Amino acid sequence: MDKAAAGNIVLMSIHPEFVDAILAGTKKVEFRKTKFASKVSHVVVYATHPVKKLTCIFEVKKVTIDHPVNLWSTYSKVSGICKDRFLSYYDSYVYGVAIEVGKLQKLDKQLKLSELGCSISPPQSYQYLDRKIFEQLKEISLAVSR
């Protein structure tokens, strides 16, 4: 991954079935109910229970905020989710957020958060991640592949 220079980095919790779909290339967008407070360049993916590990990093290609029906119309073919589940997720929300997956890097070794040597807990949805931790994560991942 290139050095993150254009924005912040977030740690995002994603269910393992959707992480697998992102890694397989069948899910090219991640949906959220809340938008980022600031520009985000990279997402570090934390696969939730039962995996409970960091699995990959992706660049944020584009963020779209729109009514869920419009998001479905735009992203249904790359959503990695069925329409009923998508609409149920957004239920009565007026807008939703679509985060397009850009360049993707699977970590050579899936890591527990504790392996980063800091006290980060899994976010409910997402949290901003310190750039030093992000660089450390990339170094650990690259060191494993050498």
Side-chain angles (χ1 to χ4, degrees):
M1 290 265 138
D2 297 330
K3 197 160 184 89
N8 293 304
I9 297 115
V10 297
L11 172 63
M12 186 176 287
S13 293
I14 301 177
H15 293 288
E17 67 183 289
F18 296 125
V19 173
D20 291 344
I22 289 169
L23 290 170
T26 57
K27 181 174 176 57
K28 297 182 185 221
V29 63
E30 176 61 19
F31 297 107
R32 293 291 149 148
K33 294 176 182 173
T34 58
K35 61 184 178 178
F36 298 131
S38 59
K39 183 175 174 70
V40 171
S41 61
H42 291 78
V43 172
V44 175
V45 176
Y46 174 82
T48 61
H49 178 79
V51 177
K52 300 197 299 190
K53 291 186 179 176
L54 300 170
T55 57
C56 59
I57 300 167
F58 68 81
E59 291 179 6
V60 175
K61 186 175 182 179
K62 178 182 175 184
V63 176
T64 302
I65 300 167
D66 204 344
H67 190 278
V69 172
N70 295 336
L71 290 179
W72 181 255
S73 176
T74 302
Y75 294 107
S76 61
K77 292 180 179 163
V78 294
S79 68
I81 189 171
C82 71
K83 185 176 184 178
D84 289 341
R85 194 167 175 190
F86 174 87
L87 293 175
S88 175
Y89 175 70
Y90 283 112
D91 190 28
S92 61
Y93 280 74
V94 177
Y95 75 89
V97 180
I99 304 160
E100 290 184 32
V101 176
K103 186 176 176 184
L104 176 69
Q105 177 186 357
K106 182 178 179 181
L107 298 181
D108 296 315
K109 176 188 175 210
Q110 293 185 355
L111 300 170
K112 294 179 182 179
L113 287 172
S114 61
E115 291 180 79
L116 291 177
C118 55
S119 59
I120 298 175
S121 54
Q124 184 69 26
S125 177
Y126 69 87
Q127 70 185 43
Y128 291 92
L129 194 62
D130 184 276
R131 190 169 301 277
K132 289 178 186 176
I133 295 171
F134 178 66
E135 294 300 329
Q136 178 186 359
L137 173 62
K138 292 191 308 181
E139 284 178 26
I140 291 169
S141 180
L142 292 174
V144 172
S145 64
R146 289 184 186 143

